[in-house]
Amino acid sequence: MSVVTVQLGQCGNQIGFEVFDALFRDSHCSQGLCSRRENEAYQASCQERFFREEGNGVPIARAVLVDMEPKVINQTLSKAAQSRRWKYDQHASFYQKQGSGNNWAYGYSVHGPRHEESIMNVIRKEVEKCDSLSGFFIIMSMAGGTGSGLGAFITQNLQDQYSNSLKMNQIIWPYGTGEVIVQNYNSSLTLSHLYRSSDALLVHENDAVHKICAKLMNIKHVSFSDINQVVAHQLGSVFQPTYSAEGSSHYRRNPLGDLMENLVPHPEFKMLGVRNIPQMSENSLAYSTFTWAGLLKHLRQMLISNAKMEEGIDWQVRPPISGLPPLGKMSLNKELHFNTSIANLVILRGKDVQSADIEGFKDPALYTSWLHPAHAFSVWKTQRAFNRYEKSAALVSNSQFPVKPLDVIVGKAWSMFASKAYIHQYTKFGIEEEDFLDSFTLLEQVVASYSNL
């Protein structure tokens, strides 16, 4: 089954390019550490999900590119074509001459309705080229105007027009210090609208990815391009093919459906985070060896202490012992200690993958009381190595990780709203004060639900 990716705004288009490039390079990498037959099956499975072939044999990404300015889309189209490995369909893009000026209301209330028909037409044509549609993967930022405002509008339209297809939004959480003065407004409006129309939100925080670039990749001056490559690596480690069942040599057909089924048991809880181990620069990779026991021990501790990377994990955090009141269970005024999960999916790729022991992730103490670990935990595996890592593990988790960043964003937006700062820029495009209050209420409810796990 195929996934149609919708790349929105500057951020969405730049990350989208890196994702397709990472998927293509990995699936055509000769260092997959598996038999030729296995490699070919892996390649075919990746191809079916994310690319389509046309006459001349160069794979075409199953993607629609949308922005309100031409520059980034033109750069993205030509960058893909120049790679000579794969390309975008020139006709699967839509752009205008005027951006949204970091104004969510302009993206949502002006660009959205004005270009709705044209954009939905481009998406429909891409969908028609799929034999079988698994769903939509929508890549966007939360802080600006086009990705966030138009992104929320398009997601709502996809929900209306393709109600039986899954929608997963990959959202980039802005730097805490902020690139845009109204980013907390934009983020609050985006999240509250997506919570109503998307099936799952896969979150990447700029601050966390920046740290991975600086500390694990040893990059001295971190650029957006470096950040996008780390995000693409993490997404590839989740979406590349894995076997459909223990001992099977068939790859799973419906990646989005399987992800949602494993990770989103309740519509109130739909925020997902990704952690990867190991992550390092190519130079270091050549000199490193890993054991499954070591990788999984670190990954489990990253989960329960809410660490985004293996460096600087707090090893003091322990799961609560059954029957005793949990130590450091969260309340909002305390620092987050133990990170309770609703559901976790561990994805293992590489050598001797069958020998990996994942019992540590089945501990009932890691999960909320209303889901048994048998339903809350899943593992996917393949012997095919990912991106030249002999062994690698990814963890997609639905846990309490969004509580703190979400609380911060809503808190900052509230204080600006209380003093009516910049509200006029939204009301003149039809977003009323009521809409802000609705957004804050919905997000405070999400924070409360996750806090009470």
Side-chain angles (χ1 to χ4, degrees), residues 106-121:
Y106 199 77
Y108 184 83
S109 304
V110 179
H111 283 318
R114 185 181 289 164
H115 305 300
E116 173 182 355
E117 200 176 323
S118 312
I119 294 170
M120 294 312 288
N121 254 336

Side-chain angles (χ1 to χ4, degrees), residues 4-21 61-69 72-73 75-77 79 86 88 94 137-151 168-173 179 204 206 224 227-229 231-232 235:
V4 169
T5 298
V6 182
Q7 306 178 179
L8 284 148
Q10 177 175 348
C11 170
N13 279 293
Q14 289 173 338
I15 289 177
F17 167 79
E18 296 294 354
V19 170
F20 282 106
D21 208 48
R62 296 185 188 275
V64 172
L65 293 73
V66 179
D67 200 2
M68 290 299 115
E69 296 168 281
V72 173
I73 286 191
Q75 284 170 349
T76 308
L77 292 173
K79 212 168 162 186
W86 61 278
Y88 287 107
F94 178 86
F137 186 52
I138 303 144
I139 308 179
M140 54 193 273
S141 83
M142 302 197 312
T146 299
S148 61
L150 184 62
M168 177 182 265
N169 291 66
Q170 198 273 327
I171 49 179
I172 300 296
W173 205 277
E179 307 116 74
H204 273 97
N206 268 341
F224 275 116
I227 286 178
N228 296 345
Q229 281 169 19
V231 170
L235 293 173

Side-chain angles (χ1 to χ4, degrees), residues 104 115 141 180 236 300 364 409 411:
W104 192 91
H115 305 300
S141 83
V180 176
R300 181 179 186 270
I409 275 184

Side-chain angles (χ1 to χ4, degrees), residues 15 43 53 61 110 128 171 174-175 177 181 218 284 319 338 341 452:
I15 289 177
Q43 220 172 68
E53 291 254 318
V110 179
E128 285 166 358
I171 49 179
Y175 282 107
T177 50
I181 190 129
N218 297 322
S284 313
F338 177 71
S341 298
N452 292 330

